[in-house]
Amino acid sequence: MTSGVTLHGEAAEVALGEAQAVLAMVSDDERRGRLADLIAAVGDGEIAEDEADALTELLELGLQTGRLRAVYGPGGEQAALRLFRKLPRGKALETSAREVTGALASLVGKPLESASIQATGPSTFLVSLAVDGLELSVRLDRQGARLTSVGL
């Protein structure tokens, strides 16, 4: 990340609240130091690369478990999602989704011959599509969506 992510409004409130809540429960000194740095950065209104990983972890956990919606309501959850998308991991997920969407766009208007989804591991799926003699496989997991194979 070359520049920081600016925080304000509801996104800053959610980030600060979550960092403080986790800090109150963590005993590991290294983790406590990372959270204290994150809290200071949120207070300054700018998250630098060093704090982005810690914030990403908090947001991912809160979004996946539903905690952010339960504690901060739908508005807080949406603010956290917008913030997550500005962080490096969120940007990477958006990029992978755009790339797969581009590959799938080549199938538009062609007859679908087959479609399947396989569970290949915990939270990992393989979507296979056969269209007009072309076969595409897309892997979906925590790292995003990736085109894994194209065949004729």
Side-chain angles (χ1 to χ4, degrees), residues 115-119 125-128:
S116 67
I117 298 177
Q118 294 175 303
F125 301 90
L126 186 66
V127 179
S128 298

Side-chain angles (χ1 to χ4, degrees), residues 28-74:
D28 178 67
D29 288 338
E30 182 180 335
R31 179 110 170 133
R32 289 183 63 78
R34 288 180 65 209
L35 289 166
D37 291 346
L38 174 58
I39 289 168
V42 171
D44 292 341
E46 178 117 359
I47 300 297
E49 187 172 359
D50 292 342
E51 294 87 25
D53 288 342
L55 180 56
T56 298
E57 289 173 13
L58 290 178
L59 293 177
E60 281 183 333
L61 183 61
L63 289 165
Q64 289 172 351
T65 62
R67 174 183 159 76
L68 295 183
R69 185 176 187 87
V71 173
Y72 304 99

Side-chain angles (χ1 to χ4, degrees), residues 111-125:
L112 179 64
E113 295 167 2
S114 69
S116 67
I117 298 177
Q118 294 175 303
T120 58
S123 300
T124 304
F125 301 90

